[in-house]
């Protein structure tokens, strides 16, 4: 099995949630704003626990927040 690429819809979900700031999301899930920036820009893959926490903030299934594909 090859390497996986994780993309996300966090930026759109934040916008849809009354333009939630990265800082506000970070505070809700217990990380720094820089961590949220890195996740949004696909520079960092969150742990499963953090991914679940983020999906709960938006009240969305994990698959609607994150997408996992085979990297090419």
């Amino acid at each position: 099995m090859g390497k996986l690429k994780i993309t996300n819809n966090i930026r759109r979900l934040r916008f849809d949630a009354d333009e939630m700031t990265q800082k506000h999301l970070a505070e809700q899930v217990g990380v720094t704003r820089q961590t949220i920036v890195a996740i949004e820009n696909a520079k960092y893959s969150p742990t499963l626990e953090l991914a679940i926490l983020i999906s709960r903030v938006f009240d969305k299934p994990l698959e609607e927040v994150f997408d996992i594909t085979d990297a090419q």
Side-chain angles (χ1 to χ4, degrees):
M1 179 180 237
K3 192 164 171 92
L4 299 176
K5 180 178 180 180
I6 299 175
T7 57
N8 66 77
N9 297 307
I10 295 173
R11 182 170 292 185
R12 179 186 55 80
L13 291 167
R14 284 192 308 101
F15 182 79
D16 292 346
D18 294 327
E19 300 184 22
M20 177 190 296
T21 65
Q22 292 168 329
K23 183 179 184 211
H24 187 232
L25 176 58
E27 289 169 351
Q28 289 190 318
V29 297
V31 298
T32 65
R33 184 188 68 79
Q34 290 83 358
T35 299
I36 297 300
V37 170
I39 293 169
E40 280 189 8
N41 293 321
K43 303 286 185 199
Y44 171 74
S45 296
T47 64
L48 180 56
E49 179 182 7
L50 180 54
I52 290 169
L53 289 172
I54 291 169
S55 68
R56 286 183 178 172
V57 167
F58 297 114
D59 195 28
K60 301 285 184 192
L62 198 57
E63 300 83 13
E64 204 169 310
V65 180
F66 296 94
D67 185 44
I68 302 170
T69 57
D70 289 326
Q72 307 243 306

